[in-house]
Amino acid sequence: MIIRATLQHFCTIAILSMLYPFAISANQSPPPAPSKSLLSLHWIDAQGHINQHRFNLEHLEALPQSTLTLELPKSLGIPGPHRWQGVSLGDLLKLSGNTGQSIRLQALNGYYVTLPTSDIERYNPLLAYRRGDNILSVREKGPFILIYPFHKFRTLNQQLYINRSIWQVHEIHIE
């Protein structure tokens, strides 16, 4: 009887000691997941090869940052003045080494706008991913919204440029 009780006690201790590492790891937080790709840039190089570069938030934050503080046109549906932070569209396009004639920005729902590269040279629009200190969610027109500096150039306050202020951008094609 004593041998049987001792053997049961020994087996219980052995099983618990084997489960102990799992119990400890269950209390630790999992390693951080790699940030998912938020934006892709597509272009054709001088040799005719199709290229693509994907950006996650860490990649974008490592690029030179730009900010605009302004009130967007009412038709864009974001009332009040806000501080927008992101990457200059011109700086982002320089990473491809290709300028192209036009830029096509595509939204998550398939909608797209095409703008001439002269807009980038003349107005340097911002591809914003923060409003204030907050990352833009899809619900808040993120992950990216293209913002022209409406407050600096009176010529931008026309429907043509308001229509080019696309939100929920996730792809850029240099054409």
Side-chain angles (χ1 to χ4, degrees):
M1 190 81 154
I2 293 178
I3 294 176
R4 185 174 181 189
T6 305
L7 187 57
Q8 283 179 335
H9 182 69
F10 177 74
C11 287
T12 302
I13 291 173
I15 291 171
L16 289 175
S17 65
M18 286 188 294
L19 294 176
Y20 181 74
F22 295 108
I24 288 177
S25 66
N27 291 332
Q28 296 174 349
S29 28
S35 178
K36 66 180 180 176
S37 173
L38 298 174
L39 181 69
S40 59
L41 177 63
H42 305 263
W43 72 96
I44 298 175
D45 64 21
Q47 291 76 34
H49 298 105
I50 298 172
N51 293 282
Q52 177 180 358
H53 186 81
R54 294 186 178 275
F55 298 90
N56 61 25
L57 186 59
E58 289 79 20
H59 295 141
L60 293 166
E61 288 181 326
L63 296 173
Q65 298 295 293
S66 298
T67 59
L68 285 174
T69 301
L70 74 153
E71 185 168 354
L72 296 176
K74 291 184 185 352
S75 59
L76 293 176
I78 305 173
H82 296 282
R83 182 176 54 84
W84 300 92
Q85 178 187 336
V87 178
S88 154
L89 188 56
D91 286 346
L92 189 64
L93 297 178
K94 286 178 189 174
L95 296 175
S96 73
N98 186 338
T99 54
Q101 297 297 312
S102 62
I103 310 302
R104 181 168 46 95
L105 291 95
Q106 187 164 331
L108 293 169
N109 66 358
Y111 177 81
Y112 67 90
V113 298
T114 302
L115 49 124
T117 53
S118 61
D119 274 13
I120 297 163
E121 297 160 4
R122 187 176 302 136
Y123 303 117
N124 195 24
L126 175 69
L127 192 63
Y129 58 87
R130 286 186 191 271
R131 182 171 66 184
D133 293 326
N134 301 317
I135 300 287
L136 291 173
S137 68
V138 172
R139 175 174 260 178
E140 299 168 318
K141 302 191 186 231
F144 302 95
I145 181 172
L146 184 70
I147 299 178
Y148 281 86
F150 292 101
H151 64 303
K152 290 183 181 178
F153 300 94
R154 293 184 73 190
T155 57
L156 290 174
N157 291 303
Q158 54 184 301
Q159 200 60 47
L160 173 68
Y161 297 103
I162 293 169
N163 290 347
R164 290 179 182 169
S165 297
I166 184 173
W167 56 83
Q168 293 184 335
V169 175
H170 79 110
E171 286 185 11
I172 300 174
H173 298 264
I174 302 173
E175 301 176 328

